[in-house]
Amino acid sequence: MASTSAEIIAFVLTISGWVLVSSTLPTDYWKVSTIDGTVITTATFWANLWKTCVTDSTGVSNCKDFPSMLALDGYIQACRGLMISAVCLGFFGAVFGLVGMKCTKVGGSDQTKAKIACLAGLIFILSGLCSMTSCSLYANRITSEFFDPSFVAQKYELGAALFIGWAGSSLSIIGGIIFCFSIAENSNSARRGYAYNGATSVMSSRTKAHNSVPDKTPPKHFDKNAYV
């Protein structure tokens, strides 16, 4: 029962993490222009993995998609690939996790389902690592430009999408670890289910065999004088 509850908690955590990671792809605010040292802010610049935009003081936004994938910076291409890989891995991990849970009726025996659940946990851990690497790589580029005194272009700060991605990655990794421990719990329960009665000694078996043989000695007959 405890293993089933742990698998349900792990499934909820991993699915929540996968949804958060997936929501970061269309989120606009991966980085937002800083207002450090600015007295009057007339426009706000922000960007994500697909476009860069500017919003003026009246609230009107003008966006421009990145013109060519081959002309992008290397870190943006790497972040795109890692985030897409994380979403795809999370989908397959959800399928394997649903099949490997004890509360479902598909997947075969308990040992087979435990192996499938462990595989789902490994997939979710890999998905969380991909998304966390992507968000960390993007954040590292932002912070390195922000603290570089020789960088004279527009400086940015960390956007909300990065924090959402980090939270989703953490949930996916934690849930995947719980899924991996389910195979150890199943093996321990299988060992406890086998009862060992111990070896029967030779003397005890001989005693049982001797006691099981009926006494075929004919009854003795006594004279009447024997009772006097």
Side-chain angles (χ1 to χ4, degrees):
M1 186 65 182
S3 178
T4 304
S5 302
E7 288 179 350
I8 294 175
I9 294 173
F11 187 75
V12 172
L13 289 176
T14 51
I15 291 300
S16 301
W18 177 58
V19 171
L20 289 177
V21 170
S22 301
S23 65
T24 58
L25 277 176
T27 303
D28 293 330
Y29 299 101
W30 277 65
K31 61 181 180 179
V32 184
S33 59
T34 181
I35 57 175
D36 181 52
T38 303
V39 179
I40 299 175
T41 303
T42 58
T44 302
F45 297 88
W46 48 273
N48 58 9
L49 297 178
W50 315 101
K51 59 186 177 180
T52 178
C53 301
V54 58
T55 303
D56 57 17
S57 58
T58 61
V60 178
S61 298
N62 295 319
C63 296
K64 179 182 179 182
D65 295 332
F66 294 132
S68 174
M69 185 182 68
L70 299 178
L72 289 176
D73 294 333
Y75 79 99
I76 296 181
Q77 295 183 8
C79 291
R80 281 184 179 182
L82 289 171
M83 291 302 296
I84 294 173
S85 300
V87 173
C88 294
L89 288 172
F91 173 77
F92 289 109
V95 174
F96 284 116
L98 190 62
V99 172
M101 294 175 65
K102 286 184 177 180
C103 57
T104 58
K105 296 183 179 180
V106 291
S109 62
D110 289 342
Q111 293 182 353
T112 304
K113 291 172 74 68
K115 293 179 181 178
I116 297 175
C118 183
L119 177 61
L122 293 175
I123 293 175
F124 273 118
I125 292 174
L126 185 59
S127 174
L129 291 176
C130 288
S131 56
M132 184 169 289
T133 303
S134 175
C135 295
S136 300
L137 180 62
Y138 199 91
N140 180 66
R141 182 60 178 262
I142 295 173
T143 54
S144 62
E145 292 178 352
F146 184 86
F147 293 106
D148 187 5
S150 61
F151 186 76
V152 295
Q154 176 64 50
K155 294 184 178 182
Y156 293 89
E157 293 182 356
L158 304 181
L162 297 177
F163 298 99
I164 296 174
W166 281 324
S169 303
S170 302
L171 291 177
S172 297
I173 293 173
I174 294 172
I177 292 173
I178 298 175
F179 264 130
C180 290
F181 278 113
S182 64
I183 190 172
E185 294 178 359
N186 281 278
S187 62
N188 291 332
S189 61
R191 292 178 181 176
R192 289 193 300 266
Y194 177 76
Y196 179 70
N197 296 324
T200 305
S201 62
V202 178
M203 295 300 295
S204 61
S205 61
R206 288 181 179 178
T207 304
K208 291 180 181 179
H210 178 72
N211 294 332
S212 61
V213 177
D215 189 8
K216 296 182 179 181
T217 306
K220 295 180 180 181
H221 299 281
F222 299 95
D223 293 336
K224 294 180 179 181
N225 297 330
Y227 299 97
V228 179

